[in-house]
Amino acid sequence: MPTVVDLGKQGPHPDLMVSLVEGINEVFQEKLTSEGVAEVYVGDIHVLQQRTLYGLPWSNLWGVPWNHAEDVISVDVSVGLVICTPTGARKHVVQYQAHRFPDRDWGIARMGVDWLDEPPKKPWTSSPALSRGLGIAWGVVAHSPDVGKGRITLANGYVAESPVSNGSFLIFVPFHSAELWSSTVKFGFYDTQGREIVTDNYPLPSPE
């Protein structure tokens, strides 16, 4: 069974800090306001992990018109996992995905956020993000030293895994076939000795 470790970890990674801060302030304004935070600043952001891949195929698997001339386009993708620590508010983790299309600049495409409870409610804070026709990103903040690595297994047997570093891991698995996008993916946690802690099967949702 082939294993790819930390695909895209070496980069080079784009500098998205300004766009990320702008996006957090815009998208999560209500959540931040509820915590008494008026604005998040660059100094509040601490990067844990980044993965960047270039020239990936992104397929139109919806079968409907989209914003590109071809059904398969080439795109550069960067995903990241950051901790946001606004003064006077709870910490939260943000996972983002950025795209760069031909003849365009990098831009944040989507973000997800989760609070980091103290003490943690479980050994990890985990968040998968799906980009249909492109791939899966999975970011985890490990609250326990027993968590050693994470693994994604696709239905065709492809395996991608990442060890915990900087208290976290991030995996990005690109794939754009319709068959895989109508299958089930496995997300697995493993301890520092490589023994399975828990594995969850995740049926990929059908296009809306």
Side-chain angles (χ1 to χ4, degrees):
M1 183 181 301
T3 300
V4 177
V5 179
D6 280 348
L7 191 64
K9 182 177 182 179
Q10 300 306 316
H13 307 297
D15 183 359
L16 299 166
M17 188 62 70
V18 172
S19 297
L20 182 61
V21 170
E22 291 176 350
I24 290 174
N25 283 318
E26 179 180 351
V27 175
F28 305 123
Q29 184 175 18
E30 182 177 342
K31 191 179 289 286
L32 293 170
T33 302
S34 70
E35 289 285 308
V37 177
E39 189 174 0
V40 167
Y41 301 95
V42 170
D44 300 326
I45 305 298
H46 311 278
V47 179
L48 297 178
Q49 303 283 345
Q50 289 177 285
R51 301 292 184 273
T52 305
L53 295 170
Y54 295 86
L56 296 179
W58 191 0
S59 297
N60 178 10
L61 299 183
W62 294 266
V64 297
W66 66 335
N67 296 327
H68 311 286
E70 306 292 335
D71 279 343
V72 181
I73 62 171
S74 177
V75 60
D76 301 331
V77 179
S78 186
V79 297
L81 190 69
V82 305
I83 298 291
C84 185
T85 57
T87 302
R90 294 159 63 191
K91 294 180 182 179
H92 56 276
V93 59
V94 177
Q95 182 174 308
Y96 68 84
Q97 178 175 314
H99 296 158
R100 181 172 64 178
F101 298 101
D103 302 323
R104 298 188 190 179
D105 292 329
W106 285 98
I108 302 290
R110 56 175 58 88
M111 292 186 293
V113 64
D114 200 357
W115 295 120
L116 290 178
D117 295 297
E118 296 181 2
K121 295 180 180 178
K122 52 187 179 180
W124 50 71
T125 301
S126 173
S127 178
L130 310 178
S131 295
R132 186 168 176 83
L134 178 60
I136 291 177
W138 183 33
V140 173
V141 177
H143 306 298
S144 169
D146 296 330
V147 181
K149 66 180 178 181
R151 177 184 295 167
I152 292 177
T153 306
L154 302 184
N156 64 355
Y158 181 90
V159 177
E161 63 180 33
S162 178
V164 171
S165 64
N166 201 21
S168 59
F169 67 78
L170 177 64
I171 305 175
F172 179 54
V173 184
F175 61 97
H176 67 288
S177 74
E179 291 78 16
L180 286 177
W181 275 104
S182 59
S183 64
T184 297
V185 173
K186 292 182 179 180
F187 295 94
F189 291 93
Y190 295 81
D191 67 15
T192 54
Q193 304 301 314
R195 296 171 297 205
E196 181 182 311
I197 300 174
V198 63
T199 298
D200 291 326
N201 292 319
Y202 185 81
L204 294 175
S206 301
E208 298 178 356

